[in-house]
Every structure is written in structure tokens, then in C-alpha cells.
């Protein structure tokens, strides 16, 4: 059965960390719109350089840029058995597009990772990511074995430019306005499940496994 999981929630709720754990457990690809955009930015593609100016301000990248990137992935061979998406959809337009991109096979579940603003600001300020492989760390709760160095690939950890307090607040604001309406969108389809994003990673992961029953 095709398994399709959408991770919804504010920036810093843990979509990327939880998603990469579930991706290993279920053997499903994790498709992260933020990672895809940062990859394009690094490679200097046209889409990437267009997206960059929105990302550095904490604004949403225009729908058509993101939709094209995601559609390419989701309809490719990698996602034949299903997928986990993190960071997409982020607007109602994107959600409606997603409904038309993805076939009806199997099951779709949406997990909403819930967390409060102060918690999110603190967690994002303490987040570091590997500049090489993208693995996510938290200086207090999920520190690397060796300070400043990725456990997996040995490259340096960096703080994302948009993980500075002022930009974090902007991202939260954009989230409330543009993305939070998706909660109702998926609730009315009866596929929304709410899970706390403030707990321990392992607890969050096992709760999602229980909900999905995959
Ligand atoms: P977070 O969820 O922690 O905010 P992401 O890596 O998902 O981080 O996103 C980083 C930035 O990339 C966003 O602030 C936004 O500019 C852009 N972005 C990512 N996904 C989308 C999307 N689906 N639609 C529009 N912009 C997006
Ligand atoms: Zn790494």
C-alpha cells in the first residue's frame, strides 16, 4: 500500500528531525521543500536564486516555484511506494495542487506538530545544521558528539541565516497567516492528527507510528 505522510506545523516544531527518523523506519523518502530550495540556491539555479530573496527575509517563496520542484519529486520513481513531506504544502493553493499531483492509491495522513511560539523561538535559536549532509542538531537536546562537527560526515555545523530571532518571528508570523489555515483544510477531510512537537523526539516518533499504523 502506498504510504503518504504530510508533516504540518510551524517552523521549529520538528518536522525535519521527526521526518528523517520516520523516513529510516518506514523506508520512505523524505521530501523537504526547504532542503530542496536550499539545494537549488547552492547550485545557483534560476529557481534557487529567485527563491533566495524570499527565504532570507523569512517570507514564502512564490507557489509556482515550490510546486514545480515538489511535483518533480513526487511524481518520480523515488516516491513510487510513498513519501513523507516536510514543509509542503504551506498555502491553500499548494494544498490544492498537491491533491491534483498525487494519485489516489494508498493512504494519506497529515500530522500536525503543535508547539507554542516561545518554545519555537528558543528551539530554532539553538538549532544547528550540518553544512555537508543537512543533519539537524540542537545545542542542548541533540548535540553533536564533537562540538561544531557533524557526527555523520565530519563537516562543520552552521546556523541557518534565517534562524536568527528577528527572522524567526517573521517566519512564525507568516506561518500563522498563510499556513495555519491548512489545519482546517485537512481537518475537514478527516485526515488530520494532532501531536505535540514539544516532547522528546522518541515520544513524538512513537506517537506518529501508532497513529499511522504502518
Ligand atoms: P522551517 O520549516 O523551519 O521554517 P524550511 O526549511 O521548511 O524551514 O523553510 C525555509 C524557507 O524556505 C521558508 O522560510 C520559505 O522561505 C521557504 N519555503 C520552504 N517551503 C516552502 C513552501 N512550501 N512554500 C513557500 N516557501 C517555502
Ligand atoms: Zn553532516
Amino acid at each position: 500500500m502506498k504510504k503518504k505522510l504530510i508533516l504540518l506545523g510551524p517552523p521549529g516544531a520538528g518536522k525535519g528531525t521527526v521526518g528523517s527518523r520516520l523516513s529510516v523506519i518506514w523506508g520512505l523518502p523524505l521530501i523537504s521543500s526547504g532542503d530542496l530550495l536550499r539545494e537549488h540556491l547552492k547550485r545557483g539555479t534560476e529557481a534557487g536564486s529567485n527563491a533566495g530573496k524570499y527565504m532570507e527575509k523569512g517570507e514564502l517563496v512564490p507557489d509556482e516555484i515550490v510546486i514545480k520542484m515538489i511535483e518533480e519529486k513526487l511524481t518520480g520513481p523515488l516516491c513510487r511506494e510513498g513519501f513523507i513531506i516536510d514543509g509542503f504544502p504551506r498555502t491553500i493553493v499548494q494544498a490544492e495542487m498537491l491533491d491534483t499531483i498525487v494519485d489516489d492509491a494508498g493512504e494519506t495522513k497529515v500530522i500536525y506538530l503543535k508547539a507554542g511560539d516561545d518554545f519555537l523561538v528558543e528551539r530554532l535559536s539553538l538549532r544547528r545544521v550540518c553544512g555537508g549532509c543537512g543533519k539537524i542538531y540542537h545545542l542542548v537536546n541533540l548535540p553533536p558528539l564533537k562540538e561544531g562537527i557533524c557526527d555523520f560526515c565530519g563537516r562543520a555545523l552552521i546556523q541557518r541565516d534565517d534562524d536568527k530571532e528577528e527572522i524567526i518571528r517573521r517566519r512564525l508570523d507568516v506561518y500563522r497567516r498563510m499556513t495555519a489555515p491548512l489545519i482546517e483544510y485537512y481537518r475537514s477531510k478527516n485526515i488530520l492528527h494532532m501531536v505535540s512537537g514539544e516532547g522528546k523526539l522518541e515520544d513524538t516518533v512513537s506517537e506518529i507510528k501508532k497513529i499511522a499504523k504502518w
Side-chain angles (χ1 to χ4, degrees):
M1 184 194 58
K2 195 164 176 177
K3 301 165 179 158
K4 297 169 280 188
L5 190 85
I6 299 170
L7 291 169
L8 196 64
K15 303 181 299 289
T17 310
V18 166
S20 63
R21 195 63 73 95
L22 291 170
S23 156
V24 173
I25 294 172
W26 288 327
L28 293 174
L30 174 66
I31 312 296
S32 156
S33 54
D35 286 350
L36 278 173
L37 287 164
R38 280 185 291 276
E39 219 175 275
H40 274 263
L41 192 62
K42 221 154 104 182
R43 294 206 328 254
T45 68
E46 198 190 330
S49 51
N50 278 332
K53 46 186 183 288
Y54 298 94
M55 295 168 75
E56 67 188 27
K57 285 188 278 192
E59 305 280 351
L60 291 187
V61 172
D63 287 331
E64 55 281 11
I65 297 181
V66 190
I67 288 169
K68 191 155 171 276
M69 269 178 207
I70 291 285
E71 181 171 17
E72 249 170 46
K73 288 278 171 191
L74 295 186
T75 54
L78 187 71
C79 293
R80 233 182 349 235
E81 307 291 318
F83 51 78
I84 300 170
I85 346 182
D86 148 27
F88 186 94
R90 252 177 164 91
T91 63
I92 296 281
V93 171
Q94 291 180 14
E96 287 169 349
M97 268 319 286
L98 184 61
D99 287 340
T100 70
I101 293 170
V102 175
D103 56 32
D104 289 332
E107 206 174 36
T108 301
K109 301 211 186 243
V110 181
I111 301 289
Y112 172 55
L113 287 173
K114 190 177 157 65
D117 280 13
D118 292 340
F119 176 91
L120 294 167
V121 174
E122 178 177 322
R123 185 189 264 171
L124 287 172
S125 317
L126 293 170
R127 174 162 80 180
R128 297 293 181 273
V129 294
C130 173
C133 71
K135 166 95 173 87
I136 303 163
Y137 296 86
H138 181 285
L139 292 184
V140 179
N141 299 332
L142 208 64
L145 295 170
K146 213 163 126 204
E147 199 184 318
I149 303 290
C150 177
D151 296 348
F152 293 90
C153 73
R155 302 272 290 274
L157 303 187
I158 53 170
Q159 182 172 34
R160 263 168 52 179
D161 287 337
D162 59 353
D163 279 347
K164 312 275 157 71
E165 175 147 0
E166 190 198 324
I167 310 288
I168 293 172
R169 296 269 174 206
R170 179 94 200 110
R171 282 156 65 204
L172 286 172
D173 200 57
V174 169
Y175 171 80
R176 304 281 169 222
R177 271 189 299 119
M178 308 297 290
T179 310
L182 294 180
I183 298 170
E184 260 330 297
Y185 182 86
Y186 287 116
R187 190 180 276 141
S188 68
K189 290 177 183 279
N190 271 318
I191 53 174
L192 185 85
H193 303 267
M194 228 180 259
V195 172
S196 169
E198 297 192 17
K200 285 220 220 52
L201 175 61
E202 286 316 316
D203 296 341
T204 309
V205 167
S206 62
E207 199 172 331
I208 296 173
K209 278 165 67 185
K210 246 188 269 165
I211 291 167
K213 300 189 203 86
W214 289 340

